Amino acid sequence: MTASASENSEVTVLLVDDNPQNLKVLYETLKDKGYRLLIANEGAKALDLAHRHRPEVILLDIMMPEMDGYEVCERLKADPVTSDCAVVFLSALDDLPSKVKGFSLGGADYISKPFQSQEVIARVDTHAKVILLERELQARNRELVSDQARILNSISEGIYGLDENGVIEFANQAAALIVNCPVEDLIGKNFFDLHFATASDSDTCLPVMGTCRQGVAEHQRNIQLQRVDGGAFPAEYRATPKLDNDELHGAVVVFRDITVELNNERALEEARALVQEQRDQLAHTSRLTTMGEMAAGFAHEVNQPLTAIANYARVSGRVMAKDAPDLSLLHETMEKIEAQSHRASEIIRRIRRFMKKPATGKEILAVPTLLEDTRQFAEVDMRNNEGGVEVVVEDDLPDVVADPVQVQQVALNFIRNALEATRAAGSSAPVEVTARRCGQKCVRVQVRDHGVGVAEEAEDKLFHPFFTTKEDGMGIGLATCRSLIQAQGGEIGYERPEGAGACFYFTLPVAGAGADACAAE
């Protein structure tokens, strides 16, 4: 077998002619070319063989009894099984109208009788190659379409292909499941009528409409789409223009039902609100605990001005009891009474300010003022521990955004612990409270003492709930501090300083620096 015959081994050629002599000549011409040859001497038999064997090339005579070649060709092209066969007419009808009619019915070529063998061989070979290439191309296209459909159907999000009027040209299985309608029933429906049936005809602002008609990409969330049964569901979608050589041909819409997602978000938000409420309650409880520990000191502090007021009142009474009262002394004494009453009032005001439950919401705060107020709160602890507090604030320190009451609670907690640790170590060094800028977004507040310090094994647990190094501690103070600072968008931590003592710090975001949490440097 020649190389040419080997290449043609998969090609079937059907020879159709009512003249046996012509069939013989054709057969002899092609028999050694490697083709699989089929022979029919009438139209009906040719149709039957073509349908069963699907030949690549059909050499078809036109003038045949009962069914001529034109009708055979027309029926071959009407049959999906044989429509792609290359029909080459073989006829003595050599006029132009006959040829035009043959081509109009789907003929691929025309050979006039009497034909030349070499011409027949060349044309059959050409059409056989073309048909084989077309069938291979069709097979690859079907494979690509199948792969594409398989991929699209494996995606959990619904996908529509829309034309410029919103008519659904393609839908995947996920889209069918979401809208509760078979894919074949979705094809041809109008996207806007299907999912926005309640919208008016003049409504030109529907989702995806801008993509279909103006080519504007869209992405929206929590849009109500209707199902085929009339029910609605919240959806998130992305609409992308469908372009061909910069010409708009509709849109591709990818969407998903976010009902479960929204329910989870609501549940999460409720859980967060509950956690925040419990956190606030815990913080307030911690403040009350602190207040209880400071009560004796505050009672002593309030008692001092009250005792002074009582003494000054007795002095005033004695002055006024004289026949010639010393009005100047009386005036001076009354001013002292007023001053002591203001002092008592200020002490009580400070106590109430510390005790109040913090309002939600942050303020722009000046750090020096904040730390000075905290230092005043710590005066009782300073007396009880025979210690001091030294506040050093960097020049031009920017304002911060925070809840003043919560930040004071954290700073006071650090200072009280530092004073107690300093006294336990027998040190007279004051507790150092410093504030400085830390990067572009943060201010760092640090409380450093020269006390007994923190054991290395305890460092990693300091901010854990219910962990304490104090014999009478509950272990909620530092844990509460961490929660409060994180709520401000800052960070909190401990550092082992050089020498003795401990160093606790926290950061606060600079006003106007953005919502990102600041980190210590």
Side-chain angles (χ1 to χ4, degrees), residues 398-409:
D399 291 342
V400 297
V401 177
D403 184 310
V405 178
Q406 294 184 347
V407 175
Q408 283 175 351
Q409 183 172 345

Side-chain angles (χ1 to χ4, degrees), residues 62 70 92-104 110 112:
I62 292 178
Y70 292 135
L93 298 175
D94 198 21
D95 58 292
L96 182 60
S98 297
K99 294 181 180 178
V100 171
K101 182 178 180 180
F103 286 122
S104 68
Y110 202 102
S112 299

Side-chain angles (χ1 to χ4, degrees), residues 264-341:
N264 290 339
E265 287 178 0
R266 279 193 287 272
L268 180 60
E269 193 60 35
E270 291 173 0
R272 284 175 175 165
L274 179 60
V275 169
Q276 183 60 45
E277 182 181 347
Q278 293 174 341
R279 176 187 293 162
D280 293 342
Q281 188 63 40
L282 180 61
H284 190 60
T285 302
S286 176
R287 295 170 68 80
L288 295 178
T289 302
T290 302
M291 195 67 248
E293 295 170 353
M294 298 169 66
F298 275 118
H300 174 72
E301 192 172 359
V302 173
N303 191 53
Q304 283 185 329
L306 292 179
T307 301
I309 290 171
N311 291 335
Y312 287 133
R314 282 196 291 272
V315 171
S316 299
R318 288 198 293 269
V319 171
M320 294 177 65
K322 293 180 179 179
D323 293 338
D326 184 346
L327 295 181
S328 175
L329 177 60
L330 181 61
H331 180 72
E332 182 182 345
T333 306
M334 295 299 291
E335 286 184 336
K336 292 180 178 178
I337 290 175
E338 182 183 9
Q340 291 299 322
S341 67

